[in-house]
């Protein structure tokens, strides 16, 4: 399968992008592996004709919006992010009516429809920087209440209004689970994704995007880490640091949608060019501005 994928990639001038939560077989064969911000930048700058995006719907959709001239294929079109939909209808209008200077800051883990109603997009690696750079005092942060709360803690000069959405996978990690692992590995540093609940951030030694967690573990002099994010990052952590030990809370957080990016599905879409991501012109025009603004402010 690997040989056939490599051959088709050359024939079709295709590249494979994979998020760190994709299965290890997808990360292994991908041309680019990274966090959401990195992958959005790669898609925008790519010279390929075809992009196979091993991620979830909002990632493929964002890639298509950023480079409309390319064919964007998803190994499984049903791979979605539950949090991307978690803003109640009418909520954005309600907030805009309440605060005249409001900036709607939209985590990239969101539908194109939500991006269209927003002023700027962010990812977990650039949210603090971008919110700080905005001239607005009042910020409605959608959809993730946990990332929003983390940003609020780092930018106390702003009034950050939280929305009640969250990642169901990160939200299931409890302090008791983490402390249990810590009890067995007392020297291990706790690294968490800001999509985790407040109690996890409070007991962590470091909090950051998937790529930032990976960089931190590589640069750290510590040799043991408790990783509070999705299981997929374990592949890169272990490949980069064979001498270090990585533990996950039990049960290990797994995003089932990300796991739909199998080698079989990658081969199938490269062969048949099926599962093409389509975004209407209206949605594309509306969502491009906040995404481009993110790429500019997040530089
Ligand atoms: P990052 O890779 O940007 O940290 O995003 C995490 C995530 O949940 C992607 O769905
Ligand atoms: Fe969405 Fe959570 Fe899966 Fe990331 S891990 S894609 S935030 S459901």
């Amino acid at each position: 399968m690997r040989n056939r994928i490599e051959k088709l990639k050359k024939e079709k001038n295709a590249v494979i992008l994979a998020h760190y939560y994709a299965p290890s077989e997808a990360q292994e064969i991908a041309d680019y592996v990274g966090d959401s911000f990195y992958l959005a930048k790669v898609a925008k700058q790519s010279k390929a004709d075809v992009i196979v995006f091993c991620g979830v719907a909002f990632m493929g959709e964002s890639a298509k919006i950023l480079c409309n001239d390319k064919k964007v294929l998803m190994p499984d079109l049903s791979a979605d992010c539950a949090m991307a939909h978690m803003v109640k209808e009418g909520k954005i209008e309600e907030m805009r009516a309440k605060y005249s200077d409001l900036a709607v800051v939209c985590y990239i883990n969101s539908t194109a429809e939500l991006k269209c109603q927003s002023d700027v997009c962010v990812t977990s690696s650039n949210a603090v920087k971008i919110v700080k750079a905005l001239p607005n005092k009042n910020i409605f942060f959608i959809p993730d209440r946990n990332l929003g709360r983390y940003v609020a803690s780092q930018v106390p000069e702003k009034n950050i209004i939280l929305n009640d959405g969250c990642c169901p996978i990160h939200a299931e990690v409890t302090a008791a689970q983490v402390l249990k692992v810590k009890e067995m590995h007392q020297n291990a540093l706790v690294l968490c994704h800001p999509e985790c609940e407040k109690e996890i951030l409070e007991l962590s030694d470091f909090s950051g995007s998937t790529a930032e967690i990976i960089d931190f573990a590589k640069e750290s002099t510590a040799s043991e880490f408790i990783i509070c994010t999705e299981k997929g990052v374990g592949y890169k952590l272990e490949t980069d640091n064979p001498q270090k030990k990585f533990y996950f809370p039990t049960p290990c957080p797994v995003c089932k949608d990300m796991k739909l990016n199998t080698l079989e599905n990658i081969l199938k879409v490269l062969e048949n060019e099926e599962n093409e991501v389509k975004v209407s012109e209206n949605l594309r025009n509306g969502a491009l501005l906040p995404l481009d603004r993110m790429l500019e402010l997040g530089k």
Side-chain angles (χ1 to χ4, degrees):
M1 268 197 286
R2 283 196 182 85
N3 290 342
R4 279 156 70 197
I5 291 172
E6 292 297 351
K7 193 164 168 270
L8 284 163
K9 256 173 42 182
K10 284 195 192 96
E11 275 171 29
K12 301 194 175 192
N13 187 25
V15 283
I16 302 177
L17 274 56
H19 187 265
Y20 286 125
Y21 296 164
S24 46
E25 63 199 44
Q27 295 189 46
E28 215 171 37
I29 203 148
D31 301 283
Y32 303 93
V33 188
D35 67 5
S36 312
F37 187 41
Y38 172 78
L39 294 174
K41 285 188 289 189
V42 169
K44 172 98 181 175
Q45 290 158 10
S46 174
K47 300 268 183 288
D49 295 314
V50 178
I51 293 177
V52 178
F53 210 126
C54 301
V56 288
F58 76 82
M59 295 181 172
E61 208 171 57
S62 298
K64 182 67 190 170
I65 292 163
L66 287 165
C67 46
N68 188 39
D69 56 324
K70 295 179 182 69
K71 199 174 242 187
V72 179
L73 309 174
M74 302 279 302
D76 190 317
L77 269 184
S78 73
D80 199 4
C81 168
M83 178 165 65
H85 307 267
M86 289 186 189
V87 180
K88 283 206 186 92
E89 196 149 357
K91 196 75 196 166
I92 296 176
E93 290 92 324
E94 187 191 317
M95 288 301 158
R96 286 208 191 271
K98 203 163 165 191
Y99 300 94
S100 57
D101 78 322
L102 190 79
V104 178
V105 175
C106 186
Y107 192 19
I108 197 166
N109 297 38
S110 53
T111 60
E113 285 82 357
L114 286 173
K115 289 184 178 79
C116 275
Q117 300 173 66
S118 304
D119 298 291
V120 63
C121 288
V122 296
T123 73
S124 53
S125 69
N126 58 34
V128 170
K129 183 177 175 179
I130 291 178
V131 168
K132 265 189 189 160
L134 293 174
N136 320 59
K137 167 100 176 147
N138 293 304
I139 310 284
F140 183 34
F141 195 98
I142 58 167
D144 188 10
R145 61 163 192 255
N146 289 320
L147 180 62
R149 192 187 325 94
Y150 171 71
V151 173
S153 72
Q154 304 297 307
V155 196
E157 66 273 23
K158 305 259 176 183
N159 175 35
I160 298 184
I161 304 142
L162 302 179
N163 169 72
D164 195 21
C166 70
C167 163
I169 286 92
H170 285 86
E172 278 197 2
V173 179
T174 65
Q177 291 167 5
V178 180
L179 292 171
K180 204 168 164 191
V181 190
K182 184 87 182 167
E183 220 176 272
M184 289 187 286
H185 309 282
Q186 290 175 9
N187 294 326
L189 296 183
V190 180
L191 316 185
C192 84
H193 196 281
E195 284 178 18
C196 289
E197 297 288 346
K198 187 173 168 227
E199 53 176 20
I200 308 298
L201 265 73
E202 280 170 358
L203 55 77
S204 291
D205 298 287
F206 175 76
S207 168
S209 78
T210 52
E212 288 169 334
I213 289 175
I214 288 163
D215 289 347
F216 183 95
K218 198 170 184 175
E219 281 155 28
S220 170
T221 52
S223 57
E224 291 184 289
F225 304 88
I226 299 166
I227 306 297
C228 302
T229 189
E230 210 271 351
K231 186 182 178 203
V233 297
Y235 172 70
K236 179 76 175 152
L237 286 168
E238 278 158 14
T239 327
D240 280 0
N241 312 281
Q243 74 292 3
K244 298 186 179 180
K245 292 257 179 290
F246 300 97
Y247 312 105
F248 285 84
T250 310
C252 187
V254 174
C255 178
K256 288 196 182 72
D257 287 79
M258 284 284 188
K259 304 306 175 215
L260 296 169
N261 296 291
T262 60
L263 222 46
E264 285 90 339
N265 286 342
I266 296 171
L267 177 60
K268 197 175 68 190
V269 294
L270 265 173
E271 267 170 348
N272 308 329
E273 298 192 30
E274 59 190 37
N275 290 1
E276 187 177 350
V277 177
K278 303 267 188 205
V279 182
S280 73
E281 201 182 327
N282 258 356
L283 276 183
R284 183 162 43 83
N285 289 340
L288 181 60
L289 205 74
L291 276 169
D292 266 341
R293 218 173 158 204
M294 171 187 81
L295 294 178
E296 191 51 38
L297 290 171
K299 258 183 198 163

